[in-house]
Amino acid sequence: MDINYKKILEVRMISVGIDISKGKSTVCILKPYGEIVSSPFEVRHVERELDALAQMILRLDEESRVVLEATGIYHLPVLTYLQEKGIYVAVNNPYEMKEYASRGLRRVKTDKQDSITIANYGIDNWYRLENHSAADDVYSELKLLGRQYCHYMELHVKGLLELTHMLDYTMPGIKKEFNSWNEASGKDKLSDFVECYWHYDTITAMSEEEFVADYVKWAKENKYHQNQSKAATVYELASDGIPTLSSNTPSTKMLVLEAVRVLREIDSTLKLIITRMRELAQSLPEYKVVRSMGGVGDVLAPKLIAEIGDIRRFHNGKALIAYAGIDAPPYQSGQFTGTNRKISKRGSKTLRKIGYETMRVLKTHKEPDDYAVYRFILKKEAEGKSKRQAKIAGLNKFLRIYYARVSEVYK
């Protein structure tokens, strides 16, 4: 008598589908062919209820696997607690789960139905499920710092816009003469200057010779280039400029200096975060390799490592490119084969942004270490690609090189 071993294995499957929400989850437990072990029920993300769920799963006789979606940080308490109990937990991409759920003609959207759908997904994709492997503590901390860095950088942009807005009232045209915060040095020349000379009246109150001497003294104290011609240009701007807020109004000085103070606080936080990221990144074996790549400096190296994480979690360079969302999936139907394809953008938006910044630096400085990537960008531009498209193509090549070089470190 022939024995269908696959069918026997299927009977022993138990899929625990968990639909994650903020502070609570809905759980459904199924066997193959829709056999219900436990109808959907709610579990709060507290130790007592998660422990009861873990004990329920551990008491199951058959092989059980928990399936849930990655939902920002909301799924982490459930994932962490169940894995500490030795339970198999597969964390799936929300987009893949959405595609699976949309197969039916009638889409029902409730927490209970979602938990049933996730449990069914576990049964249908049993042999594709992978037990989630927690990233190394250094990579986890780096990623958290990297995401917070992006958050504070958005605040920096808003703070700079607000300062620029105030300067349009008090010192129109001054911003183009001074650089704002520099990531590498941590200095903000614009804020330093405005803190000392917050209104054109504070400049024109002096003669040009007096201001030039005062500017040179200020530059020396703040360790900037003591450029007398720059001072003369600023004095000319102040003489010709028309401020629309009077320097005699107490609110004017207060608002300008408050905008500077807020921007400084944000910049201080950014500097603190990037310093910690650099310390952590330097403790990893791949740091020197990544830092030596063209376009990658002291700031971009920890950012790249933070967003990519442990390179060993990718099975090849194409997987890393797909993670960045710059892959162009093939499109073919009948006799038609698509050739003008766009990138998928189904990946890490942050990594795409950091990678594009790396290509911009590489193109600007023509780094000799990765001249192949630089030449590839030029080649794409010569083929008629736009500068942006050429940089994206260069990033594709850069990530392949990144994967090969960093993987070599761990062999």
Side-chain angles (χ1 to χ4, degrees):
M1 182 177 65
D2 294 333
I3 300 175
N4 191 334
Y5 289 102
K6 184 175 180 181
K7 188 172 182 180
I8 291 174
L9 287 172
E10 285 178 348
V11 173
R12 295 179 60 82
M13 297 175 186
I14 293 185
S15 176
V16 182
I18 303 182
D19 179 54
I20 304 287
S21 302
K22 184 177 181 179
K24 68 179 182 68
S25 295
T26 305
V27 183
C28 177
I29 306 177
L30 296 180
K31 283 185 177 182
Y33 311 112
E35 182 182 346
I36 298 175
V37 176
S38 177
S39 297
F41 60 93
E42 285 192 355
V43 174
R44 290 182 300 152
H45 297 172
V46 295
E47 185 173 3
R48 178 172 55 84
E49 296 196 14
L50 287 178
D51 183 64
L53 173 62
Q55 295 306 319
M56 176 188 294
I57 296 171
L58 291 170
R59 283 196 299 267
L60 297 172
D61 295 332
E62 294 84 352
E63 182 183 357
S64 58
R65 295 182 180 181
V66 173
V67 186
L68 50 85
E69 288 180 298
T71 53
I73 62 173
Y74 298 146
H75 72 283
L76 294 180
V78 179
L79 170 65
T80 304
Y81 194 88
L82 294 182
Q83 285 208 313
E84 285 177 353
K85 297 293 183 179
I87 295 172
Y88 191 113
V89 183
V91 181
N92 289 324
N93 187 298
Y95 180 80
E96 186 176 354
M97 195 66 71
K98 182 181 178 181
E99 289 290 295
Y100 176 82
S102 64
R103 292 178 180 179
L105 294 177
R106 185 169 176 265
R107 178 74 171 101
V108 179
K109 181 70 177 74
T110 65
D111 291 344
K112 289 184 178 181
Q113 183 57 50
D114 286 348
S115 67
I116 295 171
T117 302
I118 294 171
N120 276 318
Y121 175 90
I123 295 294
D124 292 344
N125 298 274
W126 185 266
Y127 298 105
R128 292 179 57 238
L129 298 178
E130 293 183 6
N131 194 11
H132 180 79
S133 123
D136 184 84
D137 290 342
V138 175
Y139 290 112
S140 298
E141 187 176 350
L142 263 175
K143 185 151 193 174
L144 176 61
L145 287 166
R147 293 302 171 89
Q148 288 300 302
Y149 187 89
C150 292
H151 167 69
Y152 283 105
M153 184 54 77
E154 290 176 2
L155 295 181
H156 166 84
V157 172
K158 291 179 180 178
L160 181 59
L161 287 173
E162 192 57 39
L163 175 59
T164 304
H165 177 66
M166 290 307 305
L167 292 178
D168 286 339
Y169 287 113
T170 62
M171 307 173 77
I174 196 67
K175 184 180 179 295
K176 70 175 185 289
E177 298 297 329
F178 297 98
N179 293 324
S180 185
W181 185 66
N182 184 287
E183 283 185 295
S185 66
K187 294 180 71 67
D188 188 337
K189 192 172 184 179
L190 178 65
S191 295
D192 288 342
F193 180 83
V194 172
E195 189 174 39
C196 185
Y197 310 99
W198 56 274
H199 196 284
Y200 275 156
D201 289 352
T202 63
I203 297 174
T204 55
M206 299 178 272
S207 67
E208 183 173 350
E209 292 76 14
E210 288 174 335
F211 173 71
V212 169
D214 200 61
Y215 177 89
V216 169
K217 181 182 175 183
W218 167 84
K220 184 177 180 181
E221 289 174 353
N222 289 273
K223 299 180 180 179
Y224 292 117
H225 180 54
Q226 299 164 41
N227 192 335
Q228 293 187 9
S229 62
K230 169 72 75 175
T233 301
V234 171
Y235 192 84
E236 185 180 353
L237 269 176
S239 300
D240 295 339
I242 305 176
T244 52
L245 280 178
S246 172
S247 60
N248 296 323
T249 305
S251 299
T252 303
K253 183 176 181 180
M254 182 266 290
L255 289 172
V256 172
L257 294 184
E258 275 301 295
V260 171
R261 184 190 65 80
V262 169
L263 192 56
R264 282 189 183 283
E265 288 294 327
I266 297 170
D267 292 348
S268 176
T269 301
L270 284 168
K271 185 177 180 181
L272 195 65
I273 292 174
I274 199 63
T275 300
R276 177 57 181 162
M277 288 178 70
R278 193 178 296 124
E279 290 172 358
L280 288 171
Q282 287 173 347
S283 69
L284 295 169
E286 66 261 38
Y287 179 78
K288 288 184 179 180
V289 173
V290 176
R291 178 63 183 81
S292 67
M293 295 179 71
V296 181
D298 290 333
V299 174
L300 286 174
K303 283 172 151 186
L304 274 171
I305 296 172
E307 194 57 35
I308 292 173
D310 190 346
I311 200 68
R312 292 168 290 186
R313 66 196 181 105
F314 300 103
H315 58 274
N316 57 30
K318 288 183 179 179
L320 175 57
I321 291 167
Y323 175 72
I326 59 171
D327 57 324
Y331 184 85
Q332 187 271 334
S333 178
Q335 300 298 316
F336 174 78
T337 301
T339 54
N340 188 19
R341 295 169 292 132
K342 296 182 179 179
I343 61 174
S344 67
K345 292 188 179 180
R346 291 175 186 166
S348 170
K349 180 181 178 181
T350 306
L351 180 54
R352 288 198 300 276
K353 185 176 180 180
I354 295 169
Y356 189 84
E357 186 179 353
T358 304
M359 293 301 98
R360 183 182 58 77
V361 174
L362 176 64
K363 179 76 186 301
T364 304
H365 295 89
K366 305 177 185 179
E367 298 283 351
D369 289 341
D370 275 320
Y371 194 62
V373 178
Y374 173 72
R375 284 186 301 175
F376 187 73
I377 294 174
L378 293 183
K379 176 187 173 184
K380 289 299 174 182
E381 289 179 356
E383 290 174 358
K385 301 289 185 183
S386 68
K387 290 186 177 181
R388 183 179 179 278
Q389 289 175 323
K391 287 185 178 70
I392 292 295
L395 177 57
N396 192 303
K397 189 177 186 70
F398 175 85
L399 290 178
R400 290 175 188 271
I401 295 172
Y402 182 102
Y403 178 83
R405 291 185 183 179
V406 176
S407 297
E408 193 67 29
V409 174
Y410 288 99
K411 286 184 179 178

